[in-house]
Amino acid sequence: MIELSPEEFTERHRQYAADGLLYPQPEGSPLLEFAAGGRVLYLLDRCGPYTSRPGAARVIVNGVLSRLELSGQRQESLTVIGVSGLEGVGQILERPRGGAPTLVVRARLTLVLNAHSQVPDLNSGQWNPGDWISFTTEPLLHGFTLSGSAR
């Protein structure tokens, strides 16, 4: 299980939030438009509709891995795939314990990446802070807003 609730996930991963800019949310859209790391990401708003305010914000960007492998490349890259997926190369910053298998990766911005059984076991000890990885996420990315919020 990746999260017990949006509040629990936010509290557990708040130190990994990315700094960026939230754009106004179109009426009726569940997606946040978040610019960070030189990219514009569309994130499923996990903190409730219409609570995020436009402007500077700290947002936890969360994705589910569909591909993961060690990388020989030592330069961060990040490409948006489709409306809300990512492909990139980054360095593992941390492998938090507790909860779902998780990697915190720096790839132009900080990302919290989780895994299901179709990718290598994140608990195997193969993935360590300092390692460089190549990855792809499934759509949709999730966004947990810490600031820029009406709450």
Side-chain angles (χ1 to χ4, degrees), residues 49-126:
Y50 313 115
T51 59
S52 299
R53 296 189 189 276
R58 294 185 43 76
V59 176
I60 301 165
V61 178
N62 174 238
V64 175
L65 292 162
S66 61
R67 182 186 61 82
L68 174 65
E69 55 194 41
L70 290 173
S71 175
Q73 183 178 333
R74 301 283 187 265
Q75 183 175 352
E76 295 176 13
S77 68
L78 194 63
T79 303
V80 177
I81 298 182
V83 172
S84 185
L86 296 174
E87 183 174 78
V89 173
Q91 189 172 32
I92 299 173
L93 300 177
E94 194 167 339
R95 203 173 79 177
R97 303 288 183 223
T102 303
L103 294 177
V104 178
V105 175
R106 174 75 190 173
R108 298 186 59 93
L109 64 130
T110 303
L111 304 166
V112 176
L113 302 176
N114 298 104
H116 293 303
S117 60
Q118 66 263 38
V119 296
D121 181 7
L122 293 185
N123 293 321
S124 70
Q126 177 181 359

Side-chain angles (χ1 to χ4, degrees), residues 10 13-22 32 34-36 43 47 52-53 55-61 110 143-149:
T10 300
H13 298 295
R14 86 174 27 259
Q15 69 269 30
Y16 310 123
D19 292 311
L21 181 66
L22 279 173
L32 297 171
F34 181 60
L43 310 172
C47 293
S52 299
R53 296 189 189 276
R58 294 185 43 76
V59 176
I60 301 165
V61 178
T110 303
F144 298 80
T145 306
L146 299 183
S147 61
S149 172

Side-chain angles (χ1 to χ4, degrees), residues 131-142:
D131 288 347
W132 285 82
I133 60 167
S134 173
F135 64 91
T136 304
T137 67
E138 299 175 3
L140 289 166
L141 297 169
H142 290 205

